[in-house]
Amino acid sequence: MSPLIWYLIAYLVGGIPFGYLIAKYFAGINIKEHGSGNIGATNVLRVLKQTDPAKAKKLAAITLFLDAFKGAAVLLVAKMAGVCDATLWSIAVIAVIGHCFSPYLKLEGGKGVATTAGVLLVLVPKAVLVAIVVWFIMAKTVKISSLSSLSAIIVGILSTYVLYPNLSIHSHAPLIIIGIIVIYKHKENIFRLITGQEKRVI
């Protein structure tokens, strides 16, 4: 199958707005009109816990899982189909782009953390384990979701230079691109962090 077909599939699958769909059909809420307006698990938790904390945690966990799974699923299928490594890395980047700029939400979307974790779990699993440890430490200490996520993404990507110094594609460029996308989607959070306005939500 042509790489272009795989790229299209990655974009369309990556763009599935699970947080939006879950909040709408299981809680009757348009998540884009509440909280931060983001479709990710953090906003699902933040908004829904105001009315049903127990349900909010479950739906946020499902959102997190599905956002990660959709990126990993496309890669795993492509890998089983014998797609070359260069195309696999392109699929990973495009899946994250799909989530962040969803074709189903007029190019709006989430911040890409869970989907990034999903694709990198397939391609550089050791780095994801490092990122999870960093996220856990930050979540328990600073208790700010965006700062925990950004720290995990940055440290996780940097760790690939040590854990995977010789990637098969001879470049860490896809990882850098993914990192830039995720950081860009957090630009408002970064501004609030700098100005001391970011809320603790975890």
Side-chain angles (χ1 to χ4, degrees):
M1 190 160 60
S2 168
L4 292 177
I5 301 298
W6 284 111
Y7 300 157
L8 179 60
I9 292 172
Y11 182 63
L12 294 177
V13 173
I16 299 173
F18 282 116
Y20 173 81
L21 296 172
I22 287 170
K24 182 177 181 179
Y25 291 106
F26 291 96
I29 293 176
N30 182 347
I31 199 70
K32 291 172 79 325
E33 297 177 351
H34 299 273
S36 66
N38 190 265
I39 62 169
T42 297
N43 198 42
V44 170
L45 176 63
R46 179 190 294 117
V47 173
L48 300 188
K49 74 178 181 181
Q50 297 175 12
T51 55
D52 191 336
K55 188 176 184 179
K57 290 181 179 180
K58 293 177 182 179
L59 294 182
I62 293 171
T63 299
L64 183 68
F65 171 77
L66 290 176
D67 280 345
F69 177 76
K70 66 185 180 183
V74 177
L75 274 176
L76 289 171
V77 172
K79 201 169 185 178
M80 289 187 289
V83 171
C84 71
D85 287 352
T87 299
L88 288 176
W89 277 103
S90 295
I91 288 171
V93 173
I94 294 170
V96 173
I97 291 174
H99 176 78
C100 294
F101 306 96
S102 174
Y104 311 110
L105 296 175
K106 298 180 180 179
L107 299 184
E108 295 181 4
K111 296 180 180 176
V113 176
T115 306
T116 293
V119 297
L120 297 190
L121 189 60
V122 176
L123 298 171
V124 284
K126 294 178 183 177
V128 176
L129 294 178
V130 170
I132 290 173
V133 171
V134 172
W135 183 91
F136 183 80
I137 292 173
M138 294 296 290
K140 289 297 182 181
T141 54
V142 302
K143 299 184 183 300
I144 299 176
S145 179
S146 60
L147 184 57
S148 301
S149 297
L150 286 168
S151 299
I153 289 291
I154 292 170
V155 174
I157 289 175
L158 289 177
S159 74
T160 62
Y161 285 89
V162 176
L163 299 172
Y164 301 91
N166 300 305
L167 289 173
S168 59
I169 57 172
H170 307 296
S171 173
H172 285 70
L175 288 158
I176 300 300
I177 293 171
I178 289 173
I180 290 172
I181 293 168
V182 173
I183 291 172
Y184 170 77
K185 291 294 290 187
H186 280 81
K187 60 185 183 298
E188 294 178 358
N189 302 89
I190 293 171
F191 175 79
R192 288 194 296 269
L193 285 168
I194 293 172
T195 57
Q197 301 176 57
E198 188 75 327
K199 297 179 180 179
R200 295 188 176 192
V201 294
I202 56 176

